[in-house]
Amino acid sequence: MEQTLTYKSIDNTVLDTLTPPQRSYWVLVALLFAGILLGAGCWTYQILVGIGVGGQNNPVFWGTYLINFVFWVGIAHSGTLISAILHLFRAGWRNPIARAAETMTVFAVCTAGLFPFIHLGRVWMVYYMLPVPNQRTLWPNFQSPLMFDVVAISTYLTVSSLFWYTGMLPDLATIRDRSHGLRHKIFKVISLGWTGEWEIWRHYTRGYLFFAALATPLVISVHSVVSWDFALSVIPGWHTTIFAPYFVAGAIHSGLAMVLTLMIPLRIIFKYEAIITTHVLESVAKTIVFTGLIVGFAYATEIFIAWYSHNPVEVESFRWRAFGDYALEYWIMVTCNTIVPLLLLFKKVRTNIRILFVISLLVNVGMWYERFVIIVGSVAHDFLPHAWGLYAPSLVEFGIMIGAFCLFFFLFVLFVKHMPSVSMTEMKETLQEGESHAG
Amino acid sequence: MPADTVSIMGIFSSEQRAALAIDGLRETPWIIEQVYSPIPSHAIEHALEPPKSRVGWFTLAGGIIGFFTGFFLAAFTSLRWSLIVGGKPVVALVPFFIVGFEFTILFAVLGNVLGLISQARLPRFETPAHYDERFSGDRFGVLACCSEDEQDELTRFFETNGAEIKTNDV
Amino acid sequence: MSSAWETWHERALRMNRRTFLKIASMGSVAVAAGCSAKPEDNLFTMVRATEDMVTGKEAWYASTCRECPAGCGVLAKNREGRIIKLEGNHLHPVNLGTLCIRGQAALQGLYNPDRLWMPRLKTEDGWQEIPFEKAEALIRGKARAAANRGTGRISMVTEVVGQTQLDLFAAVLQAFNGESPIVFEPLAHEALKFAHQQIFGSPALPVLQMDRADVLVGFGADFLETWLSPVEYARKFKAMHMLSNGSKGVFVQVSPFQSLTGANADRWIGCRPGTEAAVIMGLIRTVTGDENGRNVNRNLRDALAVVTETYTPEAVARMSGVSVEDQTIVGRQLLAAKQPLVLGTGAGSAGSHAVAAELAALFLNLALNPELSLFDFNNRHRVEIADRRSTVLDAFDAMDKKSVELVLLNNVNPVFSIPGGSRIAKTLSHKKRFVVAFSNFMDETAATADLIVPVQMALETWDAYESNTAALATLQPTMGKITQAPALGDLLLNLLPPDQRPAADYQSMVTRTVLTGQDSQTATTWLKTIQKGGRFGDDRATSGSPKANLRAAATLKTYLATLPEPSDEYVLMAPPSIRFFDGRGANRPWLIETPDTLTQIPWQTTALINTDSMAADGMKDGDVVTLKTQSGEIQAPVKAYAGVFPGTVVVSAGQGHSVFGRWGSGQGVNPLAILDPSVDADAGAPSFATPLASLEKSGRSVALATTSGHRLALGRKIAPTVAIDQIGHQDSHDKPGLTMDSFPLTPPLPEGYDPKRDLYPPHDHDGYRWAMIVDMDRCIGCTACVGACYAENNIGIVGEKRILEGREMAWLQIQCYQNPADMARLTFLPMMCQHCDNAPCEAVCPVYAPHHSKEGLNNQIYNRCIGTRFCGQNCPYKVRRFNWFDWERPEPLPMQLNPNVTVRSKGVMEKCSFCIQRIKDAHNVAKNENRAIRDGEVVPACAQTCPTGALTFGSLMDKTSRVSQLIKDPRAYQVLGYVNTKPAVIYLKKVTQTV
Amino acid sequence: MSTQPSKNQENPLPLMKIFYGLTAAGFLIFITVALVGNPARAWQAYLLNFLFFSAIAQGAVLFSALMHTVKARWSGPLTDVAESFTAFFPVSLVLFVILFLGQQHIFPWLHEDLHGKEVWLNVPFMFGRDLFGLCLLYGLGLTFLYHRLYFTLKDRGASGPFGRWLLARWDQHPPDEKRLASRMTVFGILYLLAFALVLSLVGYDLVMATDPHWYSTLFGAYTFVKAVFIGFGALIVLSSILHLSSRNGYHVEKNQFHDIGKLFFAFCLVWADFFYAQFVVIWYGNIPEETAYVIERTMAAPWNVLAWTVFIGCFIAPFLILLNRRIKTMPRAMTVICLAVMAGIWLEHYLLLGPSFHHHAQYIPLGWVEAAVAVGFFGLLAAAVTIYFKQFPELLVSRQEQLID
């Protein structure tokens, strides 16, 4: 496929995606916006009446809000992973999807960032969590995992946005040079007068490398921090050392799946076949198998150590996970996250776009349930039997969840139609390498 | 530069050609004023052998500052009231390390951006006259200057290297 | 149990200082009571602040609890003119400073939003509010008319009241040619009284000196819940049953339904309903048998021989289902006892069976202890003045015959609490008859009246009440008026023409009662008495126990004939409950919201069925069944319960009101309605048990609003027990280690830290390290502490729906763990915030809302909390409570709110604070007197009210404090200690003994 | 350690003699101590070194499998060297079997009440499963190597006896190259999986279980990350030495050194991360079941000294040094750093095992016995690798055009 690509064809393919959209597009946008309004409505209602309109209770103080938070932060991960780590490893298949992945990251972080607010009992007091003293010079508690979150997530948002924007600069210039009128003016500004002269490239390449080098540990740290929201507690099923790597792997797992979920339709709609080749999708698929195996390994380890520990609380906690009230959720999680991805070992499956798409959806579902099983399943059944309880999400929570999904896709849909959803410059680089190998 | 010099822009359709031209020019007394490229080309880099960028120092500085900022922020704030939580020491190094780490990354990145825009002198508000819009697409430009009398020679040099010529008269 | 006495004595002494503080003065209240104002007026503006009414400072008034006939002494805590809390009066001999949950909830009667503020007259178009003067005039008119038309045209039915009031009633009725008032009490202990009458010649209810017994055998008397004087007997029971120098008394309960009382027995033995008497007869046979060395009075033996001969162990086993072994065990215990005491059935068995059992029980007591040294015949419970059920019913039936025109009802609800109450309703609603209900609530009976006149409640009025012969307790207005209602006494006095009035006003009558017999008649004496809350323990006649009349054996024989033959038909039992008594508590949210300790279910009424028979019938918890008797049918969800004899269905009485305010109406079911309305002919005892015509599954099933997820500890060291001979022995096989079983006690003090184990350095506390010791051997699960906690800490009421959702708010819960080996063996675990030294909840909060105070408390700053709920999540004990909503408090309930405790708004986490407001008060007092806080000076609400002294609070820094002593107890352990949170609540294991 | 090609004949092979010498010396000392001196100590040293050197070999081989699986284009000559460590696999297996003799001294839990853990912690089962695991791992490793060799030797020839034999075999019945290629990939992947599982198992069984009451879910992963860390270290050391030694044509590009250096740096960070991930969780929970173990090793004397040494030697120092870009491209410098790190990890192994064996030690009981046994094991490893290169000397011939597969 790559041979047919030229600088021009790349530019044209990408620029064609920026043509004025048809009505159907705006309908979609409108629908998504309606979804957002629904979510916003539910949230307002919750603020007015009280957090009790959700399903949380004692002992399950945390419900879908935290589940969705972790879910979206997870999604947010593979963006930077693909972009940064694979950039360091110089894996060629990264370039076609890097831009979309980074975009996904930025929007996913925004979506995730909403949930801690939605989750709060007194969201109007949220500024207590900002690092500013109150009138009696009392500051937030930096020993709290939630403060780690505040620091980590905001850092992550800043860094990934900057990374994303910096990466876009050359492409913005390209669009500027191919456009007229208002769009020209806008892109003239946002491309910061990029001229691709060597003096700029010299520093740019270097800076971008450091970006990647810094983003990589950041990705890992951020989801480790998220995992420590749970692991630093004492609750059986939460308090376990494997959580940090396990969550990171899980995050990448879900993120890659989401990349496929986004890329496959994009590829068809925008005729990206030449750029986002099946080879690229395959590589993503293979990585999913890998991450799937890691989370599988983690599931197994948890169960094994719980059994090995002979600590009655641990043992019961994990027995109940697999065979208790949430057994269904548990097995959905295991199946979708570790068993189903194994299908991708077969080239036939990998290369069949439809199946690939379905599997990517299943993994997303599985990862959502993983968070459910961990967050709800552990506290519902912890130390004192008399305090055991169950939890089921309420309609309000579902409303907000729908709103969140709509918000994410809303932003993404707006982006792909107005910004280069594939990095032209990096594609050209890939092309260059391709030639040099050929020659 | 002296008043009697002219800048001539050779526009190349391929990276290699541009690179060769650059190599060629560096043998001659003509000065390469500027090189334009849609991609960070290795070939051109080899040809130009530009000095190493100093962006990294900004990044490093940012990182170091960040680490201590984060760490001391955490320590300072907890010492305002010295409240004991969970029986842990008021200044708890182990968890504060996380704060320190995140700040390291944050400040390092900010330093990096600062370095980038200061070194590359971005943003720029007007594009140079000799800039060709294709430079952001599929063309490579080499701008060299010579004294007026050598103008034809340089032009010929470019053409032999398969470039199209773009001159902007001063 | 001398040591037991000491502890109680100490308690009293310790409290004395404070007591005098409390009753420092009154007087101003008289003023307050004198002035009248519109109810809606804010109290504070009404009450003139006088020396004892300092804003921001509480004043205490001694009075008497009238929630049940026991008549415990209370101290009412008055802030800015309104009572915010009731505590027991330490000088009152009945309850020595403690209260039960009903006593705690009395305030919710006072401030009940459904309370009536104005008289209501029934008209064609519904109820019409009329002024009190009009109501009074109306009654006077009716009374005059009735009196003129002839004698006996006026009758009155009253609850159990003090003698002063009773005399007044009599006088007034007489003045109008009426008959003497009927005293109606749903739980009137007719059978017991009858037995006493038969054997000793008078229907007395003597006070028992249970505390001096060493072996106690009960046959259903629920003396920890409703029987005679629960608080008193709870204390006395623990006095005999608590561990003291290595031994403790024995308590065996033989009954069809375990009930809370049986759950506290060393051994509960189930028997077929109604056959208690048979078991007792078997025991008499054993005891009076020649073979054992016990010298039983020959005449008695002969008298009984004829009756007992047929009751061979096998026969008894066949009738009652109590195995021969169990009978011998109980017999052996009784024979070995020095001071045995046998209690008959409580309410909860059919009339004649109860009579038989009570007679037999008395005879057994005689056989075991001829001089009945544990019966104080000179000191008798007030409730004995209540008329037998038969008398009450006759009175109502006679109304038509005698064409009674005016009926006065004083705070009684026969329509609800008498089986077949509908008949009474019919009588009362007869159009020719004018019925006046002196009642503060619209209940089933009031609804049938023509005129409802609210009168002052116990805490608002002057009165005197003879809790028992030895204790004349006084009542005084403890607060400014929130109602214009007159005292009943005054209202009745005004009915009489001024010249015939025995006194100008009722208060002076009370004064007279109080002063009679006192050497000085001065106002100061009166004042002192009022301040103390009554005249206690005056010297009274000390005649020995009366002569037993052995001919009663014959009566016993006839009654034994009525005992039921073994059959497999279901029997419905409707025992009164500790929370609702006869049902009068059913409109008080604290009582409804507090789960029944045995089922852990609030709000709902369940039908308890033996676990095995339920499984056999293929029923599961929550299945709704239809219970049919001759008198009707009810539907209730079933709940499996091991402490029920197979073939018995237990539906505790009290709920299921048709009319009883917003919380009472339509909540739960009323089993009384379908009980057999007939009463025993001679004894006049009603039935609280009736054979079921049928028990059918309705097919419906409801969710049970339980507050307990699971009832077994699953081998976790949560509520362990220790056998009495194992105390002090290392309970875990291996040496102190790191695992759940081997983890050592780690006090929340620097010495609790071990550098080999702890990653954190120990931290010191500033002067005090507050801690609580919970003696699980003393906890009887009565939930008085829970009620006190609700009252003290302004805890919200969430309602049935929220409970089902798992949003209960109780800071302190009595959890109940079952013994997997014997599901009927229960251990009660009072669970509240453990104020850990390494509290997992603190560190995870991003805003320091929970943190560790200098005195070791786990503080929760409400206005700092942003509701991340991380703390609740990370609390191993799950004792943190979150305000999911703003909880409703309809007016005038907010008047009860404790001004020293924040009322939490939605979105905020809360939990037990060790009553920090009381600690602060103690700090202020100590500071003013410039000394340290004394041990025992700070008493949290729960510890203060506990009738058995199971909770002890103090500072661990003070090495001489009681907590510091108790923590050395070999029974001491910490729940989940191995998690290393170093809880400041240390539990003492429950002591079991095999019987 | 260096090895030399059998190309230049005039050179006798002193190296082999040296290595055999070291081996012999080490094991003589071990046997003497084990028999007459202090058997416990000898066997514990044996266990320590077995774990350490096996991990090196396993980790180094992982490099080749990994590079092949991710189709990395830069690894070039490094993979050849990485594969040479397979030579230690058979040796390691034998060493493990020998370990069986010392069971009394290396399994403290044999003398404790385990409250039901016997189901898992009993010698036959443990040896059974670990032996099986190692066989599986090594089997897969060797099979992978076999396929690799086919392609390597095909276009580079083989003069060593074993190499010749292989080539001859393939000439007789040439295998289907496509199938071979794909099977190679499969075995590469399988090796990666087995690596993770088996090393976790070994970590749990032979290290974590020495304190049968302590557990940490991450410990298995921690073990194999550590193995990768030192494996890559060894790889760098060996290839640098070969690169520097004038006596062969082996040559590694600057950027290749840079890349492997970056990988090593990365795993330095991962190792630290995995350590911290366990430490912070246990620190924050403060649950004695977990803390006691950590406190004894990191905070209480005498072991805390060792802990700090390890931490500085394996993380702080390398981290600060390797931040610098140029240093990664200097074979000499990298050799020193890697050796230091490996020494550090060796101590770390000792830190994990020591306290379980020596309760309430007043001083760190680290001495010549451990050192001697280490020397012995080193000799074995070196010898094995040398033999490997004697079989395939072509691997050390410089190759300009680097093959990519």
Side-chain angles (χ1 to χ4, degrees), chain C residues 55 100 124 184 211 300 315 341 348 399 411 430 494 529 543 553 580 618 628 729 784 822 881 957 977-978 987:
Chain C
T55 310
C100 70
E124 294 66 30
F184 166 59
D211 45 341
L300 178 64
L341 179 62
M399 287 183 182
N411 199 22
H430 189 292
N494 294 348
T529 322
S543 59
F580 307 119
K628 251 202 211 65
H729 300 234
D822 171 3
R881 299 287 178 261
M957 303 265 288
Y978 83 105
Y987 292 80

Side-chain angles (χ1 to χ4, degrees), chain C residues 350 419-420 629-631 671-679 686-691:
Chain C
T629 67
Q630 272 63 18
S631 330
L672 300 172
I674 64 166
L675 288 175
D676 172 6
S678 68
V679 298
S687 283
F688 285 89
T690 307

Side-chain angles (χ1 to χ4, degrees), chain A residues 51-341:
Chain A
I51 201 84
V53 299
Q56 298 97 325
N57 58 24
N58 183 2
V60 186
F61 287 99
W62 289 0
T64 49
Y65 301 146
L66 267 285
I67 294 172
N68 284 314
F69 167 69
V70 181
F71 176 77
W72 283 111
V73 176
I75 298 293
H77 270 56
S78 57
T80 317
L81 171 98
I82 291 173
S83 229
I85 296 185
L86 297 183
H87 179 77
L88 296 181
F89 280 119
R90 303 203 219 91
W93 56 270
R94 149 207 190 266
N95 293 353
I97 53 172
R99 171 66 44 76
E102 290 171 29
T103 315
M104 179 183 83
T105 294
V106 175
F107 294 160
V109 179
C110 297
T111 320
L114 275 179
F115 278 100
F117 292 85
I118 297 172
H119 169 83
L120 285 187
R122 299 205 301 167
V123 65
W124 51 92
M125 292 296 186
V126 68
Y127 59 90
Y128 282 164
M129 282 176 84
L130 301 180
V132 289
N134 75 351
Q135 55 274 55
R136 305 198 48 206
T137 74
L138 180 60
W139 292 66
N141 171 15
F142 280 99
Q143 283 194 28
S144 161
L146 288 185
M147 281 315 289
F148 305 160
D149 269 346
V150 173
V151 180
I153 300 290
S154 45
T155 304
Y156 190 56
L157 181 58
T158 322
V159 173
S160 46
S161 321
L162 285 170
F163 189 39
W164 175 61
Y165 182 61
T166 321
M168 253 192 303
L169 278 175
D171 287 5
L172 297 180
T174 314
I175 298 174
R176 174 198 62 199
D177 296 343
R178 305 278 176 295
S179 60
H180 325 280
L182 179 61
R183 175 179 275 175
H184 179 80
K185 287 197 180 62
I186 296 172
F187 280 81
K188 189 176 168 62
V189 175
I190 60 177
S191 63
L192 306 181
W194 177 277
T195 61
E197 65 191 49
W198 196 259
E199 186 55 18
I200 300 181
W201 279 123
R202 184 159 76 86
H203 303 292
Y204 179 83
T205 43
R206 199 93 187 105
Y208 198 74
L209 185 72
F210 289 126
F211 251 123
L214 288 166
T216 311
L218 178 62
V219 181
I220 291 163
S221 79
V222 169
H223 219 66
S224 303
V225 163
V226 171
S227 82
W228 288 331
D229 285 347
F230 307 101
L232 295 194
S233 77
V234 295
I235 304 300
W238 280 8
H239 180 75
T240 170
T241 50
I242 203 172
F243 255 35
Y246 162 32
F247 266 50
V248 173
I252 296 163
H253 194 47
S254 63
L256 289 169
M258 188 54 101
V259 168
L260 283 185
T261 319
L262 294 174
M263 277 318 188
I264 291 173
L266 202 64
R267 175 173 186 270
I268 296 163
I269 297 165
F270 285 167
K271 311 197 176 39
Y272 275 156
E273 287 81 358
I275 293 175
I276 305 169
T277 59
T278 41
H279 165 73
V280 172
L281 298 181
E282 269 193 75
S283 314
V284 180
K286 288 178 188 164
T287 325
I288 289 183
V289 178
F290 176 63
T291 47
L293 288 170
I294 299 183
V295 290
F297 177 79
Y299 299 156
T301 314
E302 277 190 313
I303 299 261
F304 166 69
I305 292 294
W307 171 81
Y308 171 85
S309 75
H310 270 66
N311 173 332
V313 181
E314 289 283 333
V315 175
E316 168 63 13
S317 160
F318 279 90
R319 184 202 64 76
W320 185 77
R321 253 190 207 188
F323 307 109
D325 299 75
Y326 293 130
L328 177 65
E329 287 79 354
Y330 181 81
W331 292 111
I332 290 179
M333 160 187 107
V334 172
T335 320
C336 295
N337 292 344
T338 57
I339 316 250
V340 170

Side-chain angles (χ1 to χ4, degrees), chain A residues 48 51-52 54 56-59 61-62 119 121-122 139 141 144 229 233-235 238 316 382-383 385-386 388, chain C residues 709-710 716 805-807 817 843-846 848 863 865-870 873-874 878 881-882 884 906:
Chain A
L48 295 177
I51 201 84
Q56 298 97 325
N57 58 24
N58 183 2
F61 287 99
W62 289 0
H119 169 83
R122 299 205 301 167
W139 292 66
N141 171 15
S144 161
D229 285 347
S233 77
V234 295
I235 304 300
W238 280 8
E316 168 63 13
D382 61 9
F383 291 100
H386 72 244
W388 289 350
Chain C
H710 192 79
R716 307 175 185 192
E805 293 170 353
R807 273 92 180 266
Y817 277 94
V844 296
C845 176
Y848 285 119
N863 57 359
C865 176
I866 58 175
T868 67
R869 310 195 283 293
F870 203 163
Q873 204 69 301
N874 200 25
K878 289 287 171 285
R881 299 287 178 261
F882 187 72
W884 304 99
K906 67 168 184 264

Side-chain angles (χ1 to χ4, degrees), chain C residues 70-73 91-96 98 229 231-233 235 467-468 471:
Chain C
C72 299
L91 305 177
H92 197 292
V94 169
N95 60 321
L96 292 185
T98 67
S229 185
V231 177
E232 176 180 3
Y233 286 120
R235 181 183 74 245
S467 311
N468 57 35

